[in-house]
Amino acid sequence: MAFWGVAAGRISEEDNPLATAVSESVKTYQLYINGEWRDASGGETFPSINPSNGEVIANIAKASREDTQAAIAAARQSFERGEWATKSFRARSEIMLRAYKHIQEVAIERDWASIESQDAGVTIRLANLSHVPVALEHFRSLAVQGGEIKEYEPLPWVDMPAVAWNFVNREPQGVCGQIIPWNFPLMMACWKLAPALVTGNSVILKPASNTCLTALELFKALDETGLFPKGVLNIVTGPGGAVGEEIAQHPDVDKVAFTGSTEVGRRIMQLASGTVKKVTLELGGKSANIILPDADLDLAIDGSLFATFLHQGQVCESGTRLLVPESLHDEVMERLVARTKEIVVGPADDLESGMGPLVSEAQLMTVKKYVEIGKEEGAKLVTGGKQPDGLENGYFFEPTIFDGVTNDMRIAQEEIFGPVLSVITYKNAGEAIAIANDSQYGLAGGIWSQDIPEAIQMAKRIRTGTVWINDYHLLNDVSPFGGYKQSGVGKELGMYGLLEYTIAKHIHVAQSNKRADRFIWDTVLP
Ligand code: NAP
Ligand code: MG
C-alpha cells in the first residue's frame, strides 16, 4: 500500500509566502481511509511548515467533507462488522501491544523526534525526552490498562431479595471522531487512539493542520502491522471548518473527543448536540501557580519558569498566572527575571535551545497582540516582550514576564498560549485561593510549599482537575486529566479516560419462572 504520494515538487509563493527555501522533493502525505492510503478527492494539498525557519517540509492531502464522510462510513461499517468491536478487552490489548513493538522500533528508525521537532517547533531536547517517548509509553500503558477492563461485572442486590441476575456489560461507544491540537501532536494522537482502540471503537482522527506529520507516521506504522481490520483506523487531514465540523455533526459518529480551544470546543458541543453524541472536551486553561511564603524558593523559581515556558508556553495546563506573597515579591521577581534571561531561545533542532519557535505565524501574532494588551492594561513588562534578535526567519518570541498584574486584566483571564507569565501578588492564603478560582477555566495549577499537609488542604480548595505540589506538568498515565468549568468535559488517561470510550449496558435476567413472583405486574394487569 502506498504511503507517500508522488513527490510534489515546488510549492508556489502564493501557496506559501513564508517559505524561504523549498526542497525539490518534498513528500506528500495521503489520507488513510478504510485501510488504504489515498489522495484527497479534489487532489488538493496543503504545506507543513517548519516554524524554526518557515520552510515547507511536506505536503499533506487536504480532505473535503466528502472524504470525511467516506472515512466515517468506513468506520461505521467496520464497527457494524464487529471484527474488532467484539473481541475481548484482553485480546485487543494484546494486539495493540504487538503493534506497539513495531511502533517503538520505527519511531527510532524514522526519527520521529526530529519530525516532531521540524513540524511543530518542539525543541529536540523536549521531543527526545517527552513528546515522542512519553507518547509511546502512554500508548503502551493505556493498551495494558484497557486489557484490565472488566467486560462483565455482576451487580449485587442491596436492599431486596434477589429476584434477578443483574450485570453490566462494558461495550464500545461505536464510531469515535477525534480532533486534536498542534501542541503535542503525537502525544495527543496516542491519548486519543489507544483508549478508543483498546475499548473496541472505530476511529477517525483529525490532526491539527499545523502538525499532521507524526500522527500520519503513527498511522503508517499501525498499517504496516496488518493487525487492525480495515476501517477501524482512519486519519483525515484538512481544515477544522470542513473535516472537524463534519465529524462533529455527522449522525454516524457516536462520540467526539476533542482537544483544543474552548471556543472550538463550544462549537463542537453545539454540532454534536444535533444527534446527542457523547463528547469529551479537553480545552483551554489559565492555571494559577501559587508560591506560598514557606516555599523552597530555589525549587519554586525554576519550577514556575518550567510551568510557564515549557514548549514556549503552548501547553493547556501552563501555570501562566504566578501568585506570589507580597512579602516575597521583590526577591521572587529579581530571581525570576535573572533565570528567565538565561533561557536559550533558538532553532528547535539545536540541542542548546531551551525554547524553540511558536507553532505558526498566527500564534506569534496572537502572542504579540497580548503583550500589547498587557502594556495597555497597565501591567509592567519586566523581561522579554519581543522577537529575539537574529531569529527573524522563524516564529520565535522571548520568554516574557509581566509584573503588577491584577486578576481582572485580560492577560490574567484569557489563554495566550505563548511564553507570557503574569505575576499577581496576594496577601494571604485565602486571597490566593480566591484569585486562583476567579477564572472561567479550571484545568490545573501548582502550589509551592514545604508544608505538604497544608498544601494538600489548599489543593482541595482549588477548582481544577489537577494540582501539582512542588512540581508541574508531570502526568502519570494512570491519573485522570481533564478540566473543571470551561476547561472541559470528561477525563483522559488511566481507567477514568478509558471508561469514557465505553458504555455500561445493564442486562437483567429474571431468576424465577413463576408469574406469581412478578406481583408488580398486577399494578397494571387484572
Ligand atoms: P483550535 O482552533 O481549537 O484547533 C484544535 C483542533 O480543532 C484542530 O485540529 C483544528 O483544525 C480543529 N478545528 C478548528 N476549528 C474547528 C471547527 N469549527 N470544528 C471542528 N474542529 C475544528 O486551536 P488552535 O487554533 O490550533 O489554537 C487556538 C487556541 O486554542 C490557542 O491559542 C489555545 O488557546 C488553544 N489551544 C488549546 C489546546 C489545549 O491543549 N487545550 C491546544 C491547542 C490550542 P485545524 O488545525 O485544521 O484548524
Ligand atoms: Mg508544521
Side-chain angles (χ1 to χ4, degrees):
M1 248 172 270
F3 174 56
W4 308 112
V6 186
R10 221 166 249 285
I11 310 271
S12 70
E13 287 283 316
E14 198 187 320
D15 280 334
N16 176 35
L18 294 166
T20 51
V22 180
S23 150
E24 291 294 336
S25 58
V26 164
K27 286 173 180 168
T28 296
Y29 287 79
Q30 295 174 303
L31 313 174
Y32 185 71
I33 297 173
N34 207 24
E36 277 172 13
W37 292 101
R38 54 166 100 161
D39 291 333
S41 51
E44 282 187 87
T45 62
F46 61 98
S48 167
I49 294 167
N50 179 344
S52 289
N53 54 24
E55 284 178 16
V56 173
I57 54 171
N59 289 311
I60 300 157
K62 184 175 172 183
S64 60
R65 281 191 181 257
E66 290 68 37
D67 294 318
T68 313
Q69 287 157 6
I72 294 168
R76 186 84 247 161
Q77 284 155 19
S78 76
F79 187 73
E80 301 304 339
R81 280 197 308 273
E83 301 137 299
W84 184 250
T86 58
K87 286 189 194 319
S88 68
F89 287 92
R90 173 74 54 201
R92 285 188 297 255
S93 169
E94 279 165 9
I95 293 170
M96 286 176 67
L97 292 176
R98 279 163 62 198
Y100 165 77
K101 283 210 172 101
H102 179 65
I103 296 171
Q104 200 190 21
E105 275 164 25
V106 301
I108 296 167
E109 210 174 279
R110 296 169 193 163
D111 198 359
W112 288 5
S114 288
I115 296 176
E116 193 82 314
S117 175
Q118 286 177 32
D119 192 27
V122 188
T123 63
I124 196 70
R125 265 152 68 182
L126 187 60
N128 270 310
L129 257 174
S130 165
H131 272 62
V132 174
V134 175
L136 298 192
E137 173 50 23
H138 284 176
F139 183 97
R140 189 199 64 80
S141 165
L142 288 163
V144 170
Q145 293 177 65
E148 307 287 319
I149 294 175
K150 287 195 196 80
E151 191 152 340
Y152 157 84
E153 222 176 308
L155 296 171
W157 283 79
V158 179
D159 53 3
M160 285 192 265
V163 296
W165 169 43
N166 279 189
F167 64 96
V168 163
N169 203 51
R170 277 274 161 200
E171 299 178 3
Q173 294 270 5
V175 172
C176 297
Q178 310 192 302
I179 303 172
I180 57 174
W182 40 256
N183 53 349
F184 287 78
L186 182 65
M187 200 170 320
M188 290 302 105
C190 290
W191 281 26
K192 294 286 180 284
L193 285 180
L197 283 179
V198 75
T199 49
N201 298 277
S202 291
V203 303
I204 304 107
L205 183 79
K206 186 211 127 25
S209 296
N210 281 324
T211 57
C212 296
L213 301 192
T214 46
L216 286 158
E217 290 288 341
L218 174 64
F219 269 71
K220 179 185 188 211
L222 289 167
D223 173 52
E224 285 164 351
T225 66
L227 289 168
F228 300 91
K230 69 175 188 172
V232 167
L233 283 162
N234 304 275
I235 183 166
V236 185
T237 47
V243 177
E245 298 221 353
E246 190 62 32
I247 288 173
Q249 62 96 47
H250 197 290
D252 276 342
V253 174
D254 298 294
K255 175 190 163 91
V256 189
F258 170 76
T259 301
S261 60
T262 295
E263 189 188 348
V264 174
R266 270 190 213 105
R267 173 83 184 134
I268 285 173
M269 231 174 167
Q270 267 168 4
L271 292 171
S273 72
T275 51
V276 196
K277 291 185 193 12
K278 313 300 173 260
V279 288
T280 44
L281 305 172
E282 202 65 71
L283 309 176
K286 194 74 196 181
S287 297
N289 183 35
I290 306 171
I291 296 183
L292 288 177
D294 73 332
D296 172 343
L297 277 193
D298 289 337
L299 216 56
I301 298 288
D302 275 14
S304 301
L305 295 176
F306 175 71
T308 314
F309 297 136
L310 173 72
H311 194 30
Q312 296 77 262
Q314 303 168 120
V315 187
C316 48
E317 79 262 7
S318 288
T320 46
R321 290 185 293 152
L322 182 63
L323 274 48
V324 178
E326 274 179 1
S327 57
L328 289 179
H329 171 267
D330 293 354
E331 184 184 357
V332 167
M333 286 314 298
E334 192 183 314
R335 294 180 65 176
L336 270 183
V337 171
R339 282 297 271 162
T340 300
K341 287 185 170 156
E342 288 170 10
I343 296 174
V344 178
V345 182
D349 63 0
D350 188 337
L351 267 176
E352 296 298 311
S353 302
M355 279 174 58
L358 296 167
V359 72
S360 63
E361 196 188 22
Q363 201 58 25
L364 176 62
M365 292 305 149
T366 302
V367 173
K368 283 183 173 173
K369 179 191 83 181
Y370 272 106
V371 168
E372 290 314 308
I373 290 171
K375 289 185 204 162
E376 281 161 23
E377 287 179 307
K380 190 176 159 207
L381 179 68
V382 290
T383 185
K386 59 179 180 57
Q387 281 185 266
D389 298 333
L391 289 168
E392 290 80 6
N393 283 341
Y395 315 127
F396 297 91
F397 202 78
E398 287 180 352
T400 299
I401 301 180
F402 276 107
D403 191 11
V405 177
T406 54
N407 202 47
D408 57 349
M409 291 182 183
R410 285 182 66 190
I411 58 166
Q413 288 294 328
E414 296 175 21
E415 187 175 47
I416 301 172
F417 231 62
V420 182
L421 178 62
S422 295
V423 179
I424 302 170
T425 52
Y426 68 85
K427 291 188 173 59
N428 53 50
E431 194 192 8
I433 293 167
I435 294 171
N437 287 336
D438 177 17
S439 171
Q440 63 163 324
Y441 295 115
L443 192 53
I447 298 172
W448 300 86
S449 169
Q450 301 192 58
D451 185 341
I452 302 302
E454 267 306 307
I456 291 173
Q457 287 311 314
M458 185 176 225
K460 289 184 187 172
R461 294 178 61 194
I462 292 173
R463 307 230 342 116
T464 65
T466 297
V467 179
W468 285 280
I469 295 173
N470 296 332
D471 215 334
Y472 215 93
H473 286 308
L474 288 194
L475 288 172
N476 182 334
D477 43 22
V478 299
S479 28
F481 182 71
Y484 285 33
K485 300 191 258 182
Q486 294 185 40
S487 288
V489 176
K491 297 286 177 187
E492 292 194 284
L493 294 183
M495 206 43 94
Y496 308 89
L498 285 158
L499 293 182
E500 301 267 9
Y501 283 93
T502 68
I503 305 187
K505 172 179 281 170
H506 170 215
I507 298 181
H508 169 113
V509 185
Q511 275 187 349
S512 145
N513 289 326
K514 297 192 194 93
R515 170 66 177 83
D517 285 340
R518 290 147 170 90
F519 46 85
I520 189 73
W521 295 9
D522 299 340
T523 58
V524 177
L525 296 161

